[in-house]
Amino acid sequence: MEHLNADVCPDEMIDLASRAADAAGAVIMGFFRQTFAVENKADTSPVTIADRKAEMAIRQLLAQEVPDHGILGEEHGAHNLEAEYVWVLDPIDGTKAFICGQPTFGTLIALLHHGKPVLGVIDHPALGERWIGAFGHGTTLNGRQVHVGRCTNLSDAILFSTDPEMFPGDLEGIYQSLAREVRLRRFGVDCYAYGLLASGHIDLVCEAQLQPYDYLAPTAVIENAGGVITDWQGRPLGLHSNGRVLAAGTPALHQQAISVIAT
């Protein structure tokens, strides 16, 4: 594999990420809207055989192609996180949606270079939609370039979040302070919201209690579509961020939202 530089993500990295999404999607769609067992993990979140097999399919491909790279996956843990390149995987982001037969679940694949997300894939196999964001390439949806919208005022903005329950305790009041300022808010589409933001259909995504495999692929997709994505204090996202994420289409809108939620 060719090494990344500061400006361009090599085509072969993008191709590998696409093939990894293909491999995961083939597994996932074999179980979608079928009968399968659902287990609860230690944190009470659900997991299925499709989650585990899809991540293993990605890991096997990466082991063949880039055995010196590190991997962090939701279902099968961490390997070689000190490596120069680290892949971060969520085989099914939106397992609850998947269980219910809702097609908005997605596969998230990120590549970090020295800890920075330089490539991200948001793949929705049930919908046939795939966003890829990579340094030097912009962000595409099914191969066509996309760009964030132009909204600069909270009063005009459309806000998405996965679930109101991701804002417990004091976070609920902070979130509500933001929600009261926007034109429209919606819930329930998991990582699909980040793709909608990258394509300019919505303006803000505000979430909390996320893990690195939830936000690092969207980070690359949003940034390379011209948007801004940080934690609630405006800091860049990485493996050790606090799980509170704010994404916006424009810097002006992002700054307005930060001024409301920064804690």
Side-chain angles (χ1 to χ4, degrees):
M1 279 290 182
E2 179 182 336
H3 284 267
L4 290 167
N5 60 49
D7 301 314
V8 178
C9 180
D11 290 341
E12 58 263 38
M13 294 284 192
I14 300 171
D15 176 70
L16 177 57
S18 294
R19 287 189 285 131
D22 289 341
V27 172
I28 292 165
M29 293 309 294
F31 290 97
F32 184 50
R33 294 178 176 170
Q34 303 298 314
T35 300
F36 49 79
V38 178
E39 303 173 33
N40 285 328
K41 295 188 282 191
D43 64 358
T44 73
S45 63
V47 64
T48 72
I49 187 173
D51 297 79
R52 292 176 173 140
K53 284 184 173 291
E55 182 174 316
M56 189 55 64
I58 298 174
R59 284 176 174 265
Q60 290 172 345
L61 178 62
L62 295 178
Q64 294 169 3
E65 300 281 349
V66 285
D68 57 327
H69 288 198
I71 300 176
L72 173 64
E74 180 175 14
E75 307 306 336
H76 296 290
H79 166 70
N80 194 23
L81 294 188
E82 302 305 314
E84 180 179 359
Y85 304 99
V86 175
W87 296 84
V88 183
L89 313 174
D90 189 346
I92 302 180
D93 181 83
T95 298
K96 293 177 183 178
F98 176 74
I99 291 167
C100 296
Q102 181 180 332
T104 52
F105 66 88
T107 296
L108 298 177
I109 301 172
L111 176 63
L112 311 186
H113 184 229
H114 293 306
K116 180 178 177 60
V118 294
L119 169 63
V121 177
I122 303 174
D123 186 57
H124 293 275
L127 296 173
E129 295 182 293
R130 179 178 298 174
W131 283 269
I132 301 177
F135 273 26
H137 297 266
T139 292
T140 60
L141 168 58
N142 292 351
R144 299 184 64 179
Q145 289 285 328
V146 295
H147 199 274
V148 293
R150 299 179 179 179
C151 179
T152 57
N153 295 304
L154 280 177
S155 60
D156 298 321
I158 300 173
L159 167 67
F160 268 60
S161 305
T162 292
D163 191 326
E165 293 183 358
M166 64 173 27
F167 306 106
D170 293 343
L171 297 185
E172 180 181 6
I174 297 170
Y175 167 77
Q176 291 296 343
S177 295
L178 178 62
R180 284 193 294 269
E181 299 293 327
V182 303
R183 176 166 64 94
L184 176 66
R185 62 172 171 172
R186 299 288 292 168
F187 295 102
V189 295
D190 301 290
C191 61
Y192 196 59
Y194 294 100
L196 293 176
L197 196 154
S199 290
H201 300 299
I202 69 172
D203 309 299
L204 286 168
V205 179
C206 182
E207 304 202 292
Q209 301 192 93
L210 300 186
Q211 298 296 325
Y213 38 76
D214 297 314
Y215 58 75
L216 289 173
T219 295
V221 169
I222 295 297
E223 289 182 342
N224 288 286
V228 183
I229 181 168
T230 68
D231 70 9
W232 287 14
Q233 286 71 45
R235 298 175 297 214
L237 297 173
L239 279 175
H240 305 293
S241 297
N242 62 16
R244 300 177 187 178
V245 172
L246 177 71
T250 63
L253 185 62
H254 184 267
Q255 186 55 51
Q256 288 179 41
I258 285 285
S259 69
V260 175
I261 67 171
T263 57

